[in-house]
Amino acid sequence: MKLFKSLFQRKIIVGIHGLANKPEEGLFKSWWIESIKEGLSSAGYPDARFRFESVYWADIFYERPQHPDEKNPESQFYMEEPYVRGNPEAYRGFRPRELKRRFLDFLDDALDRIFLGNNGFVDFGRIADIIIRKLYYDMHLYYNGESSLPQYRGAPAKEHIQRRLEQALRKHRRKRIMLIAHSMGTIISYDVMMQNPSLKVDTFITAGAPLGLPVIIKKNNQTAGHDPYKNRKAPVPGNITGRWINLSDLDDKVAMIYRLKEDYIPNSNGIAPDDRIVLNNYEYEGVPNHHKLYGYLRCPEAAAAVYSFLKGGGAEKRRPFLSRLFLRVGMMIRRKRVL
């Protein structure tokens, strides 16, 4: 049992959230965990234990978190979409809409020709910043500004945010890490990995990622030290040693450019984005949100990736027989306890 416990402790899931204000850190972390557990259960996988650490950064931009007692829907502290369980029946027979997929592919190709061609804008950096500022204010602050909160002034906001993820990855550097990043969290993760090549990530899962947008590809090339005017593709961080799985719902406006494999050059480990079109089934009071974190975390594709990481991953590559043996023994013991 001690060896089984040691194998379990050598793996951890680290999650980093996206834009906008969030619930209180402890509550939000519990909703991450419940969503992952819900996905594992709905997909029919055994009850798998896992360790999870949340990288929370909403407090760098917001003086207090969302709260269920806030009644004003216009308030930044209003909890508009809490965690609720989804309907697993929605996944039955799911197939991406072919017409929608073709339209998004056409849009992707058109944007690439306009923004990533060698004869692009004269001052693309300034125009990219304008686009980002108009679409996503928090993203603009990440790239160009400081927090308005006094305790975070004196340094760019992105330094405070990146430091939190860097500290989490450094803390668990002796473990196999699955890094799950949602929305803006995918950009933060990319930046941190490119700037800290010694911090290894076994499995990288991006959900609702804007990484395919030309303005972000340009920014990522700048982060990588590449000429953003000459490189149409950005490099995959060399930190990723196992897999990069990219989850996108075609109705998610943030992730509408979903074909990351075409926009990123494989790293030295041969890792390239593995694009998966999924169904984000989040719905609250009859209103769907195809970008919501909880819907991505519990989709069957995410559950399969999490279970594969927990069951196998790097530990099996080094000690395949012992890893499988003690995993099976542990599962048998848990079944006997249930019986």
Side-chain angles (χ1 to χ4, degrees):
M1 287 301 295
K2 288 184 178 180
L3 182 54
F4 178 79
K5 184 177 181 181
S6 69
L7 291 174
F8 162 70
Q9 290 179 336
R10 290 185 62 82
K11 297 179 183 179
I12 189 164
I13 299 174
V14 175
I16 181 167
H17 65 77
L19 293 167
N21 200 7
K22 304 299 175 190
E24 180 272 328
E25 183 175 5
L27 175 61
F28 192 42
K29 177 180 178 180
S30 71
W31 286 351
W32 272 87
I33 294 172
E34 286 303 312
S35 299
I36 295 172
K37 287 182 176 179
E38 180 186 348
L40 289 168
S41 176
S42 298
Y45 295 111
D47 182 22
R49 296 181 301 162
F50 59 89
R51 298 180 64 196
F52 176 82
E53 178 162 339
S54 170
V55 177
Y56 186 88
W57 56 273
D59 60 308
I60 293 176
F61 287 150
Y62 299 91
E63 60 182 350
R64 57 187 177 90
Q66 295 175 340
H67 197 279
D69 291 341
E70 175 60 61
K71 304 304 181 184
N72 180 11
E74 301 301 320
S75 170
Q76 61 182 347
F77 311 118
Y78 179 71
M79 190 178 292
E80 185 177 8
E81 295 175 318
Y83 166 71
V84 290
R85 293 184 67 86
N87 176 18
E89 293 299 316
Y91 302 125
R92 291 185 179 275
F94 166 70
R95 288 186 180 180
R97 297 189 309 246
E98 185 62 18
L99 185 61
K100 182 67 174 284
R101 187 187 65 79
R102 289 185 180 182
F103 169 74
L104 293 179
D105 291 349
F106 169 80
L107 179 64
D108 185 4
D109 294 337
L111 290 175
D112 284 352
R113 286 194 298 271
I114 294 171
F115 287 98
L116 298 179
N118 292 330
N119 58 342
F121 294 112
V122 175
D123 188 357
F124 183 88
R126 185 176 65 85
I127 294 175
D129 287 340
I130 292 173
I131 293 173
I132 289 172
R133 183 169 65 250
K134 292 294 185 182
L135 293 179
Y136 310 109
Y137 182 66
D138 286 2
M139 189 182 294
H140 167 69
L141 287 179
Y142 171 77
Y143 279 123
N144 303 291
E146 295 185 11
S147 169
S148 62
L149 302 182
Q151 64 268 37
Y152 296 113
R153 289 176 185 163
K158 66 180 180 180
E159 290 187 13
H160 293 291
I161 298 171
Q162 290 174 4
R163 187 177 301 117
R164 292 192 179 179
L165 178 57
E166 179 186 345
Q167 289 173 344
L169 296 180
R170 198 171 299 282
K171 173 183 174 183
H172 299 292
R173 64 187 180 279
R174 302 188 190 283
K175 303 182 181 73
R176 295 279 170 171
I177 297 173
M178 167 179 274
L179 176 57
I180 303 179
H182 177 241
S183 190
M184 179 71 195
T186 64
I187 295 174
I188 299 165
S189 299
Y190 184 92
D191 289 350
V192 169
M193 285 192 288
M194 292 302 298
Q195 294 166 14
N196 298 272
S198 65
L199 299 178
K200 303 303 180 184
V201 170
D202 182 277
T203 304
F204 185 36
I205 295 184
T206 50
L211 294 174
L213 294 173
V215 292
I216 304 303
I217 295 173
K218 291 278 189 179
K219 291 283 188 182
N220 287 346
N221 266 315
Q222 290 174 334
T223 299
H226 295 180
D227 187 335
Y229 295 95
K230 295 182 179 179
N231 294 275
R232 295 175 63 92
K233 298 183 179 184
V236 171
N239 321 57
I240 307 172
T241 61
R243 293 194 292 173
W244 176 356
I245 300 173
N246 179 51
L247 307 176
S248 304
D249 185 308
L250 295 183
D251 290 320
D252 180 352
K253 295 180 176 59
V254 175
M256 62 182 180
I257 308 301
Y258 68 92
R259 298 181 301 176
L260 298 190
K261 188 173 183 178
E262 297 188 2
D263 295 322
Y264 287 82
I265 304 168
N267 66 14
S268 59
N269 300 312
I271 307 301
D274 181 0
D275 298 315
R276 310 279 183 91
I277 299 176
V278 305
L279 172 65
N280 185 324
N281 72 346
Y282 181 85
E283 183 176 309
Y284 184 63
E285 296 184 342
V287 180
N289 183 345
H290 297 281
H291 183 62
K292 199 67 179 179
L293 169 66
Y294 315 126
Y296 274 120
L297 290 177
R298 66 187 175 214
C299 73
E301 295 81 2
V306 169
Y307 185 67
S308 175
F309 170 75
L310 295 174
K311 180 181 178 182
E316 280 197 347
K317 294 177 183 177
R318 287 178 285 129
R319 293 187 290 183
F321 174 74
L322 287 177
S323 296
R324 289 197 299 267
L325 173 63
F326 281 89
L327 179 65
R328 290 172 181 171
V329 170
M331 291 174 62
M332 290 172 61
I333 292 173
R334 289 200 300 274
R335 287 196 191 106
K336 288 182 179 180
R337 286 176 179 172
V338 172
L339 296 175

